[in-house]
Amino acid sequence: MSDTLLSVRGLKMHFPVLKGLLVRREVARVRAVDGIDLDVKRGETLGLVGESGCGKSTAGRAILQLYKPTAGTVTFGGEELTTKWRGGKWGAELIALRRKMQMIFQDPYASLNPRMTVEDIVAEPLKNFGLFTGPDERRRKVQDLLAKVGMDPRYVRRYPHEFSGGQRQRIGIARALALSPELVVADEPISALDVSIQAQILNLLKDLQRELTLTYVFIAHDLAAVRHVSDRIAVMYLGRVVEIADANTIYTAPKHPYTKALISAVPVPDPVVERARKRIVLTGDVPSPMNPPSGCPFHPRCPEAIDRCATDEPALSETSPGHFTSCHLVTPQWEKRGTRSPA
């Protein structure tokens, strides 16, 4: 069995911008995700970070086929997912694979149906796949799932409005685990929670991963949280991945100028170290994904940009073992060895 559970190649997710009252025509495209490559190994957590609007959440949804990708491939457990759509809808093969892929949504207040009880919410995936034979088995399975995420099993008859944000997110996690998935995409699962609750949810996710051998794609903009839970981290900017490395390397030895700026903005609890740090302040605004710049997408804001950056888009290359960077200023590993490009 391959160690790689999820492989993404050239994934694009473009949304058409339509204009016209009677006759709608496409006048532009929002390039939310514009060609990303990712590999996720079984049992690991890949953190996906970047500032708001960079395409993190859209990438997660496209990976799970909640959106039909514009281009590219998504291979899960050896199965190519993008070929399993039928007439713009999920085909039977894709529906069957959905049992193995689940999502934890960002907003625990919006992701739970207020008209459904906790039992109905958590049991809905079980019902869709016919995984219980009667009401007694259904309730027992729901209570087991609630206990697994640290909730009182007696809460099955309550409604979402009776719980706090952290409790609601635990219910969402229980629902995601109902089908015993292999892959869970966590879309900013702590961003809507109080700081005091965030650590509890992060620790819960780590405990569940060890217990159930889960694989996570953890999407967030909180770099400290991502470092706490991730084995490797991919940094996104304007729909593209600009750097991938293990978590410690990203924080201690970033290579891409954008990653360096992100890390410099993370506060350090030691006041002496904090005063000695050099803060990198980026100028200008993030370009529009409808009209991205030519060449490197980061070059209009990059403090280290050279002339080539404005015309040539850099490839995501391995610049040291396990460390991939998309930057003209960083020498690829194959050039260091004096050999030919792997392409």
Side-chain angles (χ1 to χ4, degrees), residues 243 255 317-321 323-327 330-333 336:
E243 188 164 5
K255 294 184 178 181
S317 305
E318 189 172 18
T319 54
S320 60
H323 194 155
F324 296 81
T325 313
S326 174
C327 181
V330 183
T331 305
Q333 188 177 22
K336 295 176 184 177

Side-chain angles (χ1 to χ4, degrees), residues 146-182:
L146 291 179
K148 196 179 293 292
V149 299
M151 294 281 289
D152 192 327
R154 295 174 296 178
Y155 291 166
V156 289
R157 294 185 179 179
R158 295 190 180 184
Y159 289 85
H161 72 268
E162 301 180 67
F163 298 97
S164 66
Q167 289 174 317
R168 294 186 191 201
Q169 195 60 289
R170 289 175 187 266
I171 296 169
I173 294 171
R175 177 177 59 186
L177 298 179
L179 298 176
S180 301
E182 297 179 31

Side-chain angles (χ1 to χ4, degrees), residues 85-105:
W85 288 74
R86 298 292 181 266
K89 298 181 179 180
W90 298 337
E93 293 176 291
L94 184 55
I95 292 174
L97 285 169
R98 296 214 59 79
R99 288 185 57 177
K100 301 179 181 180
M101 307 176 293
Q102 292 296 309
M103 190 167 195
I104 301 171
F105 294 94

Side-chain angles (χ1 to χ4, degrees), residues 223-224 227 250-254 258-281:
L223 296 174
R227 184 179 188 181
I250 285 288
Y251 279 82
T252 59
Y258 176 63
T259 309
K260 293 177 183 178
L262 285 182
I263 300 302
S264 76
V266 179
V268 175
D270 188 334
V272 177
V273 176
E274 179 66 22
R275 283 195 297 269
R277 295 173 71 215
K278 180 182 178 181
R279 189 66 56 86
I280 301 174
V281 180

Side-chain angles (χ1 to χ4, degrees), residues 26 103 107 186:
E26 182 179 323
M103 190 167 195
D107 188 354

